[in-house]
Amino acid sequence: MNDLTIIYYTANYLDDHNPYFLANTKRQLLKAVGDLPIISVSQKPIDLGQNICVGDTGRSHLNIYRQILICAREAKTKYVAMAEDDILYSYEHFHEYVPQENRFAYDINKWQIFTWAAPPVFAYTHRRVVNSLIAKRDMLVSALEERFDKFKDVPEENIPLKFWGDPGRYEKELGVSFRETEEFTSKVPNIVFNHPEAFGYLKLGMRKRMGPEQVDSRPDWGTAEEILKLYRP
């Protein structure tokens, strides 16, 4: 698919806390993206595609979606795909699938690696997550604008953040317009790292559970032990 812009959103936490890991995920992202355009929105200036720096607004659940919305508004293509700084994306994820125009499409071929697990393994959980979302740009902008407009005068502590999640999943709970979702499975999976520098780690820490399906290697990525070396040498 050529009519696609990659939306890369980051709070730049890894810049200071694990630049080695960040360099490796960025290198893989550029391979996976190929010639597709990238718009990055960051809290410090970065050299990645067209960069929009929003300043030091801090890490928060809402800021993830604020930064996504900023990028989506700026994109000129019909479709946009999300990208985060602690995931190894496959080329196939960005180039194989064209979503239905009025559905949020989630790639469910994602394997997780827990950096504290010994021995290291890849674990699978079937779940729709925004970091694997591909969608029509206009639909994503409309959905996020509706959410922010609905809660614009509500203090953040009173916003139901547990439902302010992946677009297409919690519209009923938020009281906003319903939008359909769909799933697809890329031929080569993305690898999602669970690690102490991740924003989600602040809530669950090492209590986050692995998926029931676990393997120590994959034919497309190699062994979990080898992949873990991209996080720490």
Side-chain angles (χ1 to χ4, degrees):
M1 179 167 57
N2 295 321
D3 198 10
L4 177 74
T5 295
I6 311 304
I7 288 179
Y8 180 89
Y9 47 98
T10 177
N12 300 96
Y13 192 78
L14 288 177
D15 294 51
D16 299 323
H17 293 82
N18 197 338
Y20 169 83
F21 177 42
L22 180 63
N24 287 326
T25 57
K26 180 181 176 181
R27 185 180 303 112
Q28 176 59 34
L29 177 66
L30 292 174
K31 291 180 182 178
V33 167
D35 295 330
L36 297 173
I38 301 175
I39 301 177
S40 58
V41 60
S42 55
Q43 298 188 20
K44 298 178 183 178
I46 62 173
D47 181 18
L48 184 61
Q50 174 190 343
N51 180 236
I52 302 170
C53 181
V54 297
D56 186 11
T57 57
R59 293 202 298 173
S60 77
H61 187 76
L62 288 182
N63 278 346
I64 291 173
Y65 290 94
R66 289 188 181 104
Q67 291 185 221
I68 289 174
L69 178 56
I70 288 169
C71 269
R73 285 170 171 163
E74 187 68 20
K76 302 299 188 291
T77 53
K78 185 173 183 178
Y79 298 97
V80 290
M82 308 304 107
E84 295 187 1
D85 59 9
D86 55 359
I87 295 174
L88 299 176
Y89 286 95
S90 70
Y91 180 90
E92 290 76 8
H93 169 72
F94 293 122
H95 294 269
E96 286 185 346
Y97 189 77
V98 179
Q100 295 290 324
E101 287 194 10
N102 295 315
R103 293 179 181 173
F104 290 116
Y106 288 93
D107 189 351
I108 58 169
N109 196 9
K110 312 183 307 298
W111 287 78
Q112 300 184 75
I113 187 166
F114 291 69
T115 61
W116 54 83
V121 294
F122 297 115
Y124 181 78
T125 301
H126 185 136
R127 186 182 170 208
R128 302 177 184 186
V129 184
V130 70
N131 58 39
S132 66
L133 171 67
I134 300 178
K136 189 178 177 184
R137 186 202 75 91
D138 291 349
M139 185 174 70
L140 180 61
V141 169
S142 176
L144 293 182
E145 286 183 342
E146 183 180 6
R147 290 185 183 199
F148 281 112
D149 287 346
K150 180 178 177 65
F151 293 97
K152 65 180 178 180
D153 297 321
V154 179
E156 185 164 332
E157 60 270 20
N158 295 331
I159 295 175
L161 294 181
K162 67 178 180 178
F163 298 126
W164 194 296
D166 319 299
R169 294 185 63 194
Y170 302 108
E171 277 74 7
K172 181 179 179 180
E173 290 81 357
L174 291 174
V176 295
S177 302
F178 172 75
R179 292 170 174 86
E180 294 185 352
T181 64
E182 63 179 350
E183 298 176 351
F184 69 100
T185 303
S186 57
K187 290 179 182 177
V188 177
N190 300 326
I191 304 298
V192 179
F193 284 76
N194 292 283
H195 56 97
E197 293 87 11
F199 179 64
Y201 186 85
L202 298 176
K203 181 178 180 180
L204 290 176
M206 293 186 185
R207 292 178 290 112
K208 186 172 184 179
R209 301 176 65 180
M210 291 187 185
E213 186 176 354
Q214 299 175 19
V215 296
D216 58 11
S217 66
R218 286 206 43 96
D220 31 47
W221 286 101
T223 68
E225 184 176 3
E226 291 169 338
I227 293 299
L228 189 57
K229 292 177 182 177
L230 298 177
Y231 173 75
R232 55 173 179 259

